[in-house]
């Protein structure tokens, strides 16, 4: 089958979970179909020529929508590349439709379809015969609405509520007009199934990792110190990661230092230096964006996933497990992944319990090793690229039978 994959988020090397999902989706789909890729991110945001060459190796054709090609060649400011100006969206739409017709595409697969609603809707109206897959990384309405309890400003609460309800309506609509909606976990799949009478059109397409990428840690970072805890993600003001880091800093960190005075804390990820610029503690290293988290992650004693609002499944857990680093998470942080506290992860939602779990893993090396190895086996069994290939095959076979 000829599949056209398009996404507004694409990058190599992947800087975070969203980019990692797209990279691994493309790798998997390339194994089971004739894959064409249209990037709605520019070469610059993609990662340059090297990244472009990487993706060209994993599909039969890799091109950009004219909008981002124009902005890149004319060196227009980066923030305009992602603007949702209707004129530019119309050009994207026309370009994709022409490509579908000229190349006799069977399926258009929208990576991050949950932020591509207008484009999906318009293309389906103009090319109703095209089979369409809305690929989701989460339940976006949950991602938005779960933030309400953590916002103090009443006006902002109302804006969050409005945005979340709008996403709920979009979810109801695309589940009906798309031939398949994918979910990254059974938890998310159950949500989408409640929106349609045809439960069969909701399919799993999980977050996975390419385990081969975690074999080489690279060099240990200069001046890296143990014992330490590690937190990685994408940081924006008032984002789930920003709130998670603040929760650890405000409720966990001082208690942890009292028990382990020489403990160090490494915070990694795009935007972290900006959102946490007020932190001034010699024992805390706010590293910012790095080419690879592995030199830090593989040398950490404990990886943290202290999330209280999010949706989907966490690459933070998959990556730490791949590196055999024990994990302490909140309940929501581990949502959608079949982990069991005390067996392959430690779960805590209260600060004192979170501290206790970190201390246990740092002080009891044998217990930490067992927890980490158990989680590693789970990830190897259920969350590798081969698993995604199998799920992708099931989706394509389902669509073939519908024709």
């Amino acid at each position: 089958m000829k599949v056209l994959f398009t996404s507004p988020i694409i990058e190599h090397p992947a800087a975070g979970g969203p980019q990692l999902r797209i990279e691994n989706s493309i790798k998997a789909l390339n194994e089971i179909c004739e894959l064409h890729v249209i990037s709605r991110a520019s070469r610059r945001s993609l990662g340059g020529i090297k990244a472009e060459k990487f993706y060209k190796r994993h599909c039969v054709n890799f091109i950009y929508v004219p909008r981002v090609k124009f902005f890149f060649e004319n060196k227009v400011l980066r923030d305009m590349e992602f603007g949702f100006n209707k004129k530019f969206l119309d050009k994207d739409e026309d370009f994709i439709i022409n490509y579908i017709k000229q190349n006799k595409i069977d399926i258009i697969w929208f990576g991050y379809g949950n932020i591509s609603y207008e484009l999906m809707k318009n293309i389906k109206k103009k090319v109703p015969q095209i089979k369409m897959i809305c690929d989701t990384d989460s339940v976006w309405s949950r991602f938005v609405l779960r933030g309400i309890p953590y916002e103090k400003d009443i006006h902002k609460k109302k804006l969050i509520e409005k945005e979340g309800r709008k996403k709920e309506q979009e979810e109801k609509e695309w589940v009906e007009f798309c031939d398949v909606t994918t979910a990254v976990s059974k938890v998310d799949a159950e949500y989408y199934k409640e929106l349609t009478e045809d439960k069969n059109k909701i399919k799993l397409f999980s977050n996975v990792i390419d385990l081969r990428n975690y074999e080489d840690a690279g060099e240990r970072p200069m001046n890296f110190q143990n014992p330490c805890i590690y937190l990685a993600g994408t940081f924006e003001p008032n984002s789930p990661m920003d709130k998670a880091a603040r929760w650890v800093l405000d409720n966990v960190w001082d208690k942890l230092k009292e028990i382990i005075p020489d403990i160090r804390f490494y915070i990694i990820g795009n935007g972290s230096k900006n959102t946490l610029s007020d932190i001034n503690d010699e024992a805390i290293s706010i590293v910012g964006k790095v080419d690879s988290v592995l030199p830090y992650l593989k040398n950490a004693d404990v990886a943290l996933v202290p999330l209280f609002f999010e949706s989907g499944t966490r690459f933070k857990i998959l990556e730490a497990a791949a590196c055999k680093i024990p994990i302490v998470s909140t309940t929501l942080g581990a949502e959608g992944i079949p982990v069991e506290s005390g067996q392959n992860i430690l779960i805590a939602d209260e600060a004192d319990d979170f501290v206790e779990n970190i201390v246990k893993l740092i002080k009891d090396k044998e217990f930490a090793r067992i927890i980490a190895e158990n989680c590693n086996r789970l990830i190897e069994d259920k969350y590798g690229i081969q698993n995604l290939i199998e799920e992708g095959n099931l989706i394509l076979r389902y669509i073939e039978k519908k024709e």
Side-chain angles (χ1 to χ4, degrees):
M1 298 186 76
K2 291 185 177 182
V3 176
L4 172 60
F5 184 96
T6 182
S7 174
I9 296 174
I10 183 167
E11 185 179 13
H12 179 79
Q19 296 85 353
L20 199 55
R21 174 166 178 77
I22 295 301
E23 179 177 314
N24 290 332
S25 296
I26 289 173
K27 283 183 179 180
L29 291 173
N30 188 48
E31 297 292 325
I32 56 176
C33 66
E34 180 184 308
L35 185 65
H36 301 242
V37 177
I38 294 181
S39 173
R40 286 158 31 228
S42 72
R43 182 193 288 167
R44 179 170 56 194
S45 57
L46 182 75
I49 294 175
K50 186 176 180 181
E52 186 179 90
K53 288 180 178 178
F54 170 83
Y55 281 110
K56 285 183 175 180
R57 292 198 301 270
H58 290 91
C59 60
V60 298
N61 193 24
F62 181 92
I63 57 175
Y64 303 90
V65 291
R67 172 178 55 95
V68 296
K69 186 177 181 182
F70 169 83
F71 281 134
F72 174 76
E73 291 177 350
N74 291 277
K75 298 181 180 179
V76 178
L77 292 174
R78 178 185 171 92
D79 61 354
M80 291 183 66
E81 295 172 8
F82 301 96
F84 288 91
N85 182 294
K86 188 177 185 303
K87 180 177 71 172
F88 292 122
L89 282 180
D90 287 346
K91 288 186 177 181
D92 287 1
E93 180 184 311
D94 292 340
F95 180 80
I96 291 170
I97 289 171
N98 287 335
Y99 191 93
I100 289 169
K101 293 177 178 178
Q102 291 171 7
N103 293 276
K104 298 180 179 179
I105 296 296
D106 299 300
I107 299 170
I108 180 167
W109 191 305
F110 280 90
Y112 281 88
N114 46 3
I115 55 174
S116 303
Y117 169 75
E118 291 294 337
L119 188 59
M120 291 192 302
K121 181 179 69 174
N122 292 341
I123 289 177
K124 193 66 172 178
K125 282 182 180 178
K126 293 182 179 180
V127 194
Q129 72 275 16
I130 189 70
K131 300 300 181 183
M132 183 173 289
I133 296 173
C134 177
D135 188 44
T136 72
D137 71 310
S138 62
V139 175
W140 200 266
S141 60
R142 283 180 174 171
F143 179 92
V144 174
L145 294 171
R146 283 173 171 175
I148 290 176
Y150 302 94
E151 177 55 63
K152 296 178 181 179
D153 185 279
I154 294 176
H155 178 66
K156 290 181 179 178
K157 279 180 181 283
K158 290 181 179 179
L159 291 177
I160 294 172
E161 173 84 15
K162 183 179 179 180
E163 181 186 354
R165 299 308 171 200
K166 179 183 177 184
K167 295 308 295 186
E168 284 182 332
Q169 184 60 37
E170 290 179 1
E171 289 157 0
K172 290 176 184 177
E173 293 179 15
W174 87 55
V175 162
E176 292 302 332
F177 71 71
C178 288
D179 297 273
V180 168
T181 292
T182 72
V184 297
S185 70
K186 292 180 180 179
V187 173
D188 285 9
E190 288 304 313
Y191 170 84
Y192 289 120
K193 285 179 180 179
E194 290 297 316
L195 304 182
T196 179
E197 292 183 3
D198 185 358
K199 315 298 183 188
N200 291 324
K201 67 182 349 187
I202 310 302
K203 302 294 184 184
L204 282 176
F205 198 62
S206 304
N207 282 335
V208 303
I209 55 175
D210 189 339
L211 291 162
R212 295 168 296 184
N213 293 342
Y214 297 85
E215 294 171 358
D216 182 14
E219 294 184 9
R220 181 182 174 93
M222 188 177 297
N223 300 321
F224 191 92
Q225 296 181 55
N226 297 89
C228 70
I229 54 177
Y230 162 98
L231 176 64
T234 300
F235 294 78
E236 295 177 1
N238 300 313
S239 66
M241 282 307 305
D242 180 60
K243 297 288 188 181
R246 296 284 176 183
W247 181 79
V248 173
L249 292 168
D250 294 342
N251 300 283
V252 173
W253 180 240
D254 286 343
K255 296 175 182 178
L256 190 58
K257 285 197 297 182
E258 287 180 7
I259 302 170
I260 308 175
D262 59 344
I263 191 82
R264 295 292 184 271
F265 189 7
Y266 291 93
I267 301 175
I268 318 290
N270 192 26
S272 57
K273 284 194 171 184
N274 293 328
T275 62
L276 301 173
S277 60
D278 58 304
I279 304 303
N280 184 19
D281 186 327
E282 292 182 355
I284 300 174
S285 296
I286 301 172
V287 181
K289 183 177 180 179
V290 293
D291 290 336
S292 172
V293 300
L294 295 189
Y296 292 89
L297 176 55
K298 282 211 166 188
N299 287 290
D301 292 283
V302 180
L304 308 184
V305 190
L307 291 165
F308 290 94
F309 67 103
E310 256 272 17
S311 180
T313 56
R314 278 15 119 209
F315 279 100
K316 300 168 186 61
I317 289 178
L318 305 186
E319 292 194 302
C323 296
K324 296 185 179 180
I325 302 301
I327 304 157
V328 179
S329 174
T330 54
T331 300
L332 188 134
E335 182 183 53
I337 301 175
V339 289
E340 184 178 348
S341 188
Q343 295 298 315
N344 43 32
I345 196 171
L346 296 184
I347 302 288
D349 294 311
E350 301 297 331
D352 288 345
D353 296 331
F354 214 86
V355 172
E356 181 180 337
N357 285 342
I358 294 171
V359 171
K360 184 171 180 60
L361 289 172
I362 290 177
K363 292 194 172 183
D364 190 339
K365 297 298 183 185
E366 180 60 16
F367 176 69
R369 182 189 66 78
I370 293 170
I371 289 288
E373 290 186 354
N374 287 346
C375 202
N376 177 263
R377 281 193 290 272
L378 172 68
I379 300 310
E380 285 189 342
D381 289 343
K382 296 181 180 295
Y383 293 94
I385 287 285
Q386 186 57 41
N387 301 86
L388 197 61
I389 290 171
E390 292 170 5
E391 291 175 349
N393 256 322
L394 289 174
I395 293 169
L396 297 185
R397 286 203 294 269
Y398 167 77
I399 289 181
E400 278 185 312
K401 289 179 181 177
K402 284 186 68 177
E403 292 181 346

